[in-house]
Amino acid sequence: MCYYMDMEEKKFTHLDETGKARMVDISDKAHTSRVAIARGVVKLREDVLSAILQGEGPKGDAITVAKIAGIQAAKKTSELIPLTHPLLLSQVDIKFKAISERELEITGEVRLEGKTGAEMEALVAVTVSGLTIYDMCKALDPEMEIGQIYLIYKEGGKSGIFRKETGKIISINLSNKKGTKKIPTQEAIFVIGEGIKTDAHSGPGIKQVSLLAQESINKMREKGINVEPGAFAENVTTEGINLKILPVGTTIYLGDEVMLKVTQLGKECHSPCTIGKETGECVMPLEGIFAEVIKGGNVKVGDKIVTVLREK
């Protein structure tokens, strides 16, 4: 399900008045500094990924070759995508990082001074880099998969800043009394303008749902404090998204149905919660966030989380 374009607000600028495809006229646009960052993932065997990282692929240093291929592809985007404009790129940077034993993350960043953006150039760079990794290593693992290619950041031009991050739900936590630890559950129903059905914190206001990252909980564990999801009274425990840097107004999508809007970052503790009383320390006031439910529905543990920020 796609939430990211409201068809009543957006128009397809690549269509003329008769509905036929056209190249957009950018004559009247101003030159601005533009940045676009895209991401993709190559899934492959653990031993093949290890060989790639050590520069020991069957055809040599796959990462270096893939980086050069991605840079070349970004410069030739207008020759590959019919209605894009030729752009003079200031910089193309492609990075590779193992994010698991079987996943290689590719990020492509493109910068330029121009009248139109660099999104397609960044996406093409990541895609061709992934294809090159496949070509360099297909003799070892022909079942490699290239996917999860999407724009994660854009800056410059009339539309302003766009930022997207993805993660997943580690735990959904409920309680029947405020100020207590919440108990994990496998799924929950989110209600528009209220929060999570049956949770003690559910109700009108700006703090309908609380979220805390597993990465924040891990900080407490590293200090020897034995805590699990729900211990800080958060409704949703996340993984893979840096919640504490999300500005107020950021849209958060949970699974295929639920939409939240960030309303508050952190909180002031007027009296210590259960964890605060037991340990004298709590990460929720500094790193937790609160949101209101804009679109309700059902959410399960393991569902994807997508955050989208648009800032003009």
Side-chain angles (χ1 to χ4, degrees):
M1 184 176 295
C2 180
Y3 299 104
Y4 309 126
M5 178 176 287
D6 185 338
M7 298 304 295
E8 294 182 358
E9 297 179 359
K10 301 288 185 179
K11 294 182 179 180
F12 289 111
T13 56
H14 281 78
L15 301 180
D16 63 17
E17 61 276 4
T18 67
K20 294 182 179 180
R22 66 170 182 177
M23 189 176 191
V24 176
D25 185 355
I26 60 172
S27 303
D28 295 331
K29 286 190 174 184
H31 279 80
T32 60
S33 297
R34 298 171 184 266
V35 181
I37 304 174
R39 175 188 187 268
V41 175
V42 180
K43 295 183 179 180
L44 64 174
R45 290 205 322 256
E46 183 178 345
D47 61 315
V48 179
L49 176 56
S50 178
I52 288 174
L53 296 175
Q54 296 176 43
E56 298 175 353
K59 292 186 177 181
D61 187 351
I63 286 180
T64 297
V65 176
K67 182 170 186 175
I68 294 172
I71 293 171
Q72 289 180 325
K75 295 189 291 185
K76 290 182 175 291
T77 297
S78 63
E79 299 176 28
L80 300 170
I81 311 298
L83 300 179
T84 56
H85 295 78
L87 300 177
L88 182 60
L89 307 184
S90 304
Q91 182 188 33
V92 181
D93 187 22
I94 302 173
K95 296 179 180 179
F96 302 80
K97 181 177 70 173
I99 56 174
S100 76
E101 294 179 344
R102 298 191 59 183
E103 293 179 306
L104 179 68
E105 178 186 66
I106 305 172
T107 55
E109 178 176 344
V110 175
R111 294 176 176 268
L112 62 91
E113 296 281 335
K115 294 185 175 185
T116 188
E119 300 99 311
M120 293 309 303
E121 285 70 19
L123 289 163
V124 167
V126 167
T127 302
V128 172
S129 292
L131 289 170
T132 304
I133 291 290
Y134 184 93
D135 178 63
M136 296 286 288
C137 302
K138 63 180 183 293
L140 296 179
D141 186 4
E143 295 185 6
M144 279 185 288
E145 297 179 7
I146 304 167
Q148 301 181 51
I149 299 172
Y150 55 87
L151 184 72
I152 59 175
Y153 184 82
K154 183 186 78 68
E155 178 183 337
K158 184 178 179 180
S159 60
I161 294 175
F162 166 88
R163 182 186 292 117
K164 174 180 177 178
E165 293 185 73
T166 61
K168 66 179 179 179
I169 297 173
I170 295 298
S171 184
I172 301 170
N173 316 297
L174 306 176
S175 65
N176 54 21
K177 184 179 179 180
K178 294 183 178 181
T180 62
K181 297 180 182 178
K182 294 187 182 293
I183 306 301
T185 184
Q186 287 299 305
E187 59 184 309
I189 298 173
F190 287 65
V191 181
I192 295 177
E194 293 289 333
I196 302 179
K197 189 175 182 179
T198 74
D199 183 65
H201 290 87
S202 181
I206 66 170
K207 297 196 295 182
Q208 297 169 12
V209 178
S210 57
L211 301 93
L212 183 67
Q214 180 66 46
E215 291 83 354
S216 296
I217 296 175
N218 290 342
K219 291 181 182 178
M220 302 293 286
R221 289 179 174 176
E222 291 169 0
K223 296 179 180 181
I225 301 173
N226 186 21
V227 285
E228 300 293 336
F232 298 96
E234 81 277 7
N235 290 124
V236 180
T237 312
T238 70
E239 182 181 71
I241 294 177
N242 192 354
L243 295 177
K244 63 183 179 181
I245 67 169
L246 298 180
V248 170
T250 300
T251 303
I252 300 178
Y253 302 95
L254 305 180
D256 292 329
E257 299 180 359
V258 173
M259 183 191 305
L260 309 179
K261 185 79 71 176
V262 176
T263 53
Q264 181 173 312
L265 308 178
K267 68 173 183 176
E268 180 181 354
C269 286
H270 300 287
S271 58
C273 61
T274 303
I275 289 295
K277 292 176 182 178
E278 293 178 359
T279 68
E281 189 173 3
C282 181
V283 293
M284 191 67 189
L286 295 177
E287 301 188 12
I289 67 172
F290 295 87
E292 58 182 340
V293 182
I294 304 301
K295 185 175 184 294
N298 190 64
V299 173
K300 303 185 294 297
V301 171
D303 279 353
K304 179 188 288 188
I305 303 174
V306 177
T307 68
V308 176
L309 168 68
R310 288 189 177 91
E311 181 180 299
K312 290 187 177 181

